[in-house]
Amino acid sequence: MDNLRADRSDASRDGSAGSDHRPKPAGKARRPRNRAKVVPRRRNGAVPAGRRKVIILGGGPNRIGQGIEFDYCCVHASFACREEGFESIMVNCNPETVSTDYDTSDKLYFEPLTLEDVLGIVEVEQPIGVVVQFGGQTPLNLAIPLQKAGVNILGTSPQAIDRAEDRKRFAVLLTKLGLRQPPNGTSRSPEEALRIAKRLGYPVLVRPSYVLGGRAMEIVYSDDELKDYMQRAVMASPHRPVLVDKFLEDAVEIDVDAVSDGERTVICGVMEHIEEAGIHSGDSCCALPPFTLADNIVAEIEASTREMAAELDVRGLINVQYALRGDTVYVLEVNPRASRTVPFVAKATGVPWAGIATKVILGKTLAELGVTQEIRPPYSAVKAPVFPWSRFPGVDPMLGPEMKSTGEVMGIDRKFGVAFAKSQIAAGNAWALKGKVFVSVNNHDKRDIISVAKRLTALGFTLVSTHGTAQVLRTSGMEVEELPKVQEGARPNIVDRMKNGEIAFLINTPSGRHCRPFEVSIRATAVRLGIPLVTTLSGASAVVLGLEEMSREEPTVRSLQDYQQDLATVR
């Protein structure tokens, strides 16, 4: 009604229909009243503006795999639009995020990320286009339907996005560029999946396509596991094929973020994962710059990233995941969008990559923005995941291909080991500098645990273990206190020792995907009592390195701005 009254009052002032033409009595002239400027509104409440508009699709409700990292990118995209003179319109439906704050964007539509809702907003606002690459997989899945409905998708084209997401088209792309990928296939039925697995050989990594956070992704080792998986996977993504990849055991995983303007591609950062391939990238610690990769491997990875960005004609951000096995680099997947590592890389390098990518999407070149060279920090930054284990008593804190973390923290220092230790402290893992360490690993890890255990004893830790691991360590000349296994019934066992406060931390690698109940009880007890636990051998090695460096010198405390000032000196 207020809007209707405002419209009528405007009409009366210019003498249009509905005005009162009766003569006013003569007398003392009145001072004109201060009238607030009336802004016309559409019937749905939207206020039109004179500037060109850009709609940014957020990530929707927070859930595993769709975290605050994408919200960070959307916020910086909104700021960049405003800096470039555009009206920024945010579409998101999560009250917990910064992108839905009243002062982040010029306009917020608190609506679900569905095709119908977005098309309704586009019809009202008439933007120059829609940005889909900052909200993760949810808005990315809307790219092609929106384009088919006549909406202009800004940045990387939906066809390029589909070329990267569709496994068959992606394989053709890699073949054209001469890049390697693990042997793979796509399946829509259990029978077809079994044929592919027989050709590739077990283990295989299986997952639905176009899903979020590694949902329903698993490593399977037999026909029976694969049949069971296919039934569940079809429910998770009924209209998409299931991807079947040969799983690369004992491989190092590498993440790369880059930004491209169609002519030039600049590598934002190359990150080496601490956990081996098979752990979801969102659940793995990673370091920037890489801490073990040879320069020629890094150069090959950067060159491959540029080739794929050029072939896909990327405008904005691109994320590529690689696996290194021996000296051979494999491409695991390409995401022509912002990744969850973008905020980490931005803070580690001092460059707002999401904002830079937005300005590229809006038409600027990287040269115009002054971003033409890679940045290699003179320090080590480590990203560590934060898990919700304590909220779910009794759950097994085991890592795998499906993402389980709900946040992340960063540690930074001149030395990798100290940076890793700082990240662990920030994540809530207070690693003791002395005490008893429980070591129990699966058969696959028994050979490699020897060097880790020797380094622990050199630091002054004492070792306790169950029979199998204890026997291996004694054979290597180490003193170990042997404990009875939980399932044997003898006391005190490791659970009793943890309850008595005798254990500093645990190194316990699972025996397989279907762990025995007593293994789960050990790890769940550690979580419940707040005792640090590491479940991968590569993670254990990083922990020991951090303890070694922390024991040699007191870690320094510097602000992020001080580290970024070091970057300015390097530049």
Side-chain angles (χ1 to χ4, degrees):
M1 289 300 294
D2 289 341
N3 293 341
L4 294 175
R5 281 197 295 270
D7 292 341
R8 281 198 295 269
S9 64
D10 284 348
S12 66
R13 283 196 295 275
D14 62 17
S16 58
S19 62
D20 186 354
H21 295 292
R22 288 176 297 176
K24 294 183 170 52
K28 186 176 178 181
R30 295 181 180 179
R31 296 179 61 187
R33 287 184 295 173
N34 257 339
R35 289 184 179 272
K37 183 178 179 181
V38 178
V39 179
R41 293 176 181 268
R42 294 189 175 95
R43 291 186 179 181
N44 58 15
V47 181
R51 289 178 293 164
R52 292 184 298 168
K53 306 172 184 180
V54 173
I55 290 179
I56 301 165
L57 301 187
N62 272 7
R63 53 206 185 276
I64 301 295
Q66 187 80 28
I68 203 69
E69 302 92 342
F70 296 117
D71 196 66
Y72 165 99
C73 294
C74 290
V75 169
H76 278 264
S78 183
F79 293 162
C81 286
R82 191 177 302 172
E83 290 171 10
E84 293 299 303
F86 293 86
E87 180 184 8
S88 61
I89 300 172
M90 184 70 63
V91 181
N92 205 0
C93 56
N94 189 343
E96 300 281 332
T97 55
V98 181
S99 67
T100 54
D101 282 356
Y102 71 94
D103 58 350
T104 294
S105 303
D106 295 310
K107 193 178 293 180
L108 166 69
Y109 280 87
F110 198 87
E111 300 289 345
L113 273 298
T114 67
L115 180 63
E116 180 182 4
D117 287 283
V118 174
L119 287 176
I121 295 167
V122 170
E123 182 181 3
V124 169
E125 294 294 346
Q126 296 296 306
I128 67 164
V130 175
V131 178
V132 300
Q133 65 175 260
F134 293 114
Q137 193 69 40
T138 300
L140 206 68
N141 289 345
L142 293 175
I144 288 180
L146 285 172
Q147 188 184 55
K148 287 181 177 178
V151 178
N152 181 32
I153 302 299
L154 298 174
T156 307
S157 72
Q159 286 69 33
I161 293 171
D162 186 67
R163 195 177 172 196
E165 293 276 355
D166 186 283
R167 184 48 58 103
K168 289 184 178 179
R169 299 185 68 192
F170 182 56
V172 172
L173 181 149
L174 293 183
T175 301
K176 177 181 177 181
L177 297 177
L179 302 177
R180 303 178 193 86
Q181 68 175 145
N184 62 81
T186 57
S187 168
R188 294 182 181 272
S189 68
E191 295 75 22
E192 191 175 8
L194 288 169
R195 286 196 298 271
I196 295 170
K198 185 176 181 180
R199 171 171 59 86
L200 301 180
Y202 290 105
V204 293
L205 181 68
V206 285
R207 59 186 171 127
S209 53
Y210 289 88
V211 295
L212 181 69
R215 179 175 171 230
M217 185 187 297
E218 290 182 15
I219 302 169
V220 300
Y221 294 85
S222 68
D223 287 352
D224 290 339
E225 288 183 13
L226 185 56
K227 290 175 186 175
D228 175 66
Y229 171 84
M230 287 299 295
Q231 294 177 350
R232 291 179 282 113
V234 171
M235 293 177 61
S237 184
H239 305 297
R240 301 287 188 180
V242 171
L243 311 179
V244 184
D245 293 349
K246 174 65 179 175
F247 177 61
L248 301 176
E249 295 183 285
D250 302 321
V252 176
E253 192 163 340
I254 300 131
D255 250 289
V256 180
D257 283 323
V259 63
S260 179
D261 60 11
E263 296 294 332
R264 182 196 302 268
T265 298
V266 173
I267 306 298
C268 308
V270 178
M271 294 152 278
E272 180 181 353
H273 289 211
I274 292 170
E275 284 78 12
E276 295 175 346
I279 306 296
H280 191 278
S281 59
D283 288 352
S284 178
C285 296
C286 69
L288 188 154
F291 59 99
T292 68
L293 300 186
D295 290 344
N296 66 309
I297 295 295
V298 174
E300 179 183 345
I301 287 170
E302 290 181 342
S304 298
T305 302
R306 292 190 186 94
E307 288 180 29
M308 284 183 280
E311 179 66 24
L312 291 168
D313 194 24
V314 169
R315 308 298 172 98
L317 287 166
I318 180 173
N319 170 261
V320 188
Q321 294 175 19
Y322 296 91
L324 175 66
R325 191 178 187 186
D327 292 326
T328 304
V329 176
Y330 296 90
V331 180
L332 297 181
E333 64 177 280
V334 175
N335 299 301
R337 58 166 170 82
S339 74
R340 61 177 54 82
T341 52
V342 167
F344 166 66
V345 177
K347 292 181 182 296
T349 60
V351 178
W353 293 110
I356 295 293
T358 303
K359 293 179 181 181
V360 166
I361 290 170
L362 296 176
K364 289 287 183 70
T365 66
L366 289 171
E368 289 173 331
L369 297 171
V371 180
T372 57
Q373 292 183 334
E374 282 71 29
I375 296 172
R376 293 177 172 83
Y379 47 77
S380 185
V382 176
K383 176 183 77 73
V386 177
F387 295 98
W389 308 132
S390 60
R391 304 282 183 177
F392 302 96
V395 72
D396 187 5
M398 187 178 73
L399 304 181
E402 187 166 3
M403 187 173 171
K404 298 176 181 176
S405 62
T406 52
E408 59 187 32
V409 294
M410 183 172 87
I412 187 168
D413 197 88
R414 291 181 297 105
K415 296 182 177 180
F416 163 73
V418 179
F420 176 80
K422 287 179 177 179
S423 73
Q424 291 297 300
I425 293 169
N429 297 316
W431 300 95
L433 297 176
K434 59 181 180 180
K436 292 183 178 180
V437 180
F438 175 72
V439 181
S440 179
V441 297
N442 59 46
N443 291 331
H444 180 268
D445 294 331
K446 281 186 167 58
R447 178 189 296 272
D448 294 326
I449 193 61
I450 294 171
S451 62
V452 172
K454 285 184 176 178
R455 291 162 63 192
L456 283 171
T457 57
L459 286 169
F461 288 95
T462 56
L463 306 178
V464 295
S465 184
T466 49
H467 178 70
T469 306
Q471 192 174 29
V472 171
L473 298 179
R474 285 200 192 99
T475 304
S476 300
M478 285 174 274
E479 292 186 6
V480 186
E481 179 186 354
E482 187 172 327
L483 298 179
K485 294 181 179 180
V486 173
Q487 70 272 28
E488 292 173 351
R491 313 292 287 269
N493 55 38
I494 180 57
V495 173
D496 299 321
R497 293 293 183 91
M498 284 191 284
K499 291 178 179 178
N500 293 337
E502 299 177 33
I503 304 299
F505 62 89
L506 297 86
I507 299 173
N508 179 226
T509 62
S511 60
R513 188 165 70 88
H514 300 291
C515 295
R516 291 163 286 188
F518 69 87
E519 289 185 61
V520 177
S521 71
I522 293 172
R523 293 190 287 268
T525 301
V527 169
R528 181 170 58 83
L529 297 176
I531 302 172
L533 165 72
V534 60
T535 58
T536 65
L537 205 59
S538 51
S541 182
V543 167
V544 174
L545 178 60
L547 293 172
E548 289 171 338
E549 293 185 356
M550 295 270 278
S551 67
R552 284 194 287 266
E553 59 180 270
E554 190 72 19
T556 57
V557 178
R558 299 178 69 203
S559 69
L560 184 62
Q561 290 77 10
D562 288 338
Y563 282 108
Q564 292 180 351
Q565 187 60 42
D566 292 346
L567 276 175
T569 303
V570 171
R571 290 176 194 152

